[in-house]
Amino acid sequence: MSEVGSTTVVAPRILAIVNQKGGVGKTTTAVNLATAMAACQKRVLVVDLDPQGNASTGFGVPRKARDADSYAVLIGEASIADAAIQTEVPGLEVVPASPNLSGAEIELVTMEHREFRLREALVRHAAASPYDYILIDCPPSLGLLTLNALVASDAVLVPLQCEFYALEGLSQLIRTVERVRKSLNPDLEIQGVVLTMFDRRNNLSEQVAADVRGHFGDVVYRTVIPRNVRVSEAPSYGKPVIVYDMACSGSRAYLDLAREVLRRERALAEAA
Ligand SMILES: Nc1ncnc2c1ncn2[C@@H]1O[C@H](COP(=O)(O)OP(=O)(O)OP(=O)(O)O)[C@@H](O)[C@H]1O
Ligand SMILES: [Mg+2]
């Protein structure tokens, strides 16, 4: 917390949405958890750190509005304030991604402080930060982009798809988080694991959910995100599902998840 003039500025909490497995619901969770948090009166920024730019598309950001993007932020050509775009959700902004970002993994290798580029950009912005939460949508890899997200974040939120291979690769992800904690970001926590695309008619979903809870216990949120066709339709309209169809089961689940994440945040803040 810092004092700027007479206003008290609380640094935003930064959460990385990470899983190196593709298609597990990272972007869907980033977009809809952020929207649900904004519905809970939080001021939220989503940083799209995936060259696929799915989160930007999910918020309906036109391609031509992506000039000042997360790539420009990483290479120091734009500030967070330059790049952030207001979405149609009040209190929710997004730093979009463009295909430029696909070169960043290679370009960053030769740059100074290559793992700290995003953190430094967010810290530079912190004094003026209008956000309570920043969610970072990561690409499906543990390369330099994800490393930048892990170094910049206070905590990690891991979406796990309820399918047979859900736990595969997770130990590698946990090892990466531990490595980052030991060397680059000692304060990095795991906020939680969220089960996604749960299909109640499928025994395998139940089995996987039980397995994951057996492994991770209370780290797994009680809220489970169901497989819901409205969730998968919403991005094609450039809308979070909560805007597209607030009453559907997917929207209700993301609103529940936001409340649970915020409860954990309060508990973490009280314990600190
Ligand atoms: N709860 C859900 N119900 C139905 N479809 C879903 C749900 N969650 C995600 N999907 C769909 O599954 C696909 C993968 O989801 P998403 O893009 O969020 O995963 P991702 O982990 O971000 O993928 P990538 O690794 O490529 O970035 C998308 O087509 C999305 O619309
Ligand atoms: Mg994605």
Side-chain angles (χ1 to χ4, degrees), residues 19-29 50 52 54 137-141 159 161 196-198 225-233 235 250 254:
N19 189 335
Q20 78 274 27
K21 246 165 106 62
V24 298
K26 290 181 289 296
T27 301
T28 305
T29 298
D50 184 347
Q52 298 178 99
N54 294 151
D137 184 29
C138 292
S141 82
Q161 187 181 351
T196 64
M197 295 182 242
F198 182 85
I225 310 298
R227 186 176 278 286
N228 174 217
V229 68
R230 307 298 271 169
V231 172
S232 55
E233 285 168 5
Y254 274 111

Side-chain angles (χ1 to χ4, degrees), residues 128-261:
S129 180
Y131 311 114
D132 300 307
Y133 284 92
I134 298 176
L135 305 188
I136 307 171
D137 184 29
C138 292
S141 82
L142 294 174
L144 255 180
L145 289 172
T146 298
L147 202 54
N148 262 273
L150 294 176
V151 169
S153 293
D154 297 298
V156 171
L157 196 155
V158 183
L160 274 193
Q161 187 181 351
C162 292
E163 48 122 44
F164 183 65
Y165 295 111
L167 287 166
E168 202 174 73
L170 209 62
S171 50
Q172 194 192 352
L173 173 56
I174 304 283
R175 272 201 305 279
T176 304
V177 169
E178 276 162 10
R179 225 180 52 230
V180 170
R181 199 183 283 143
K182 277 195 192 121
S183 50
L184 304 167
N185 180 7
D187 298 328
L188 187 65
E189 297 164 335
I190 296 192
Q191 223 280 351
V193 170
V194 59
L195 294 164
T196 64
M197 295 182 242
F198 182 85
D199 185 349
R200 159 167 77 69
R201 292 158 306 178
N202 183 341
N203 283 340
L204 186 61
S205 261
E206 294 279 3
Q207 247 172 47
V208 170
D211 239 32
V212 172
R213 289 192 192 282
H215 252 81
F216 291 100
D218 289 343
V219 174
V220 185
Y221 300 104
R222 296 169 69 93
T223 309
V224 169
I225 310 298
R227 186 176 278 286
N228 174 217
V229 68
R230 307 298 271 169
V231 172
S232 55
E233 285 168 5
S236 62
Y237 295 91
K239 290 181 189 302
V241 71
I242 292 164
V243 174
Y244 177 61
D245 180 356
M246 195 173 154
C248 74
S249 61
S251 293
R252 280 185 276 127
Y254 274 111
L255 286 162
D256 286 345
L257 181 65
R259 285 189 280 265
E260 196 176 351
V261 167

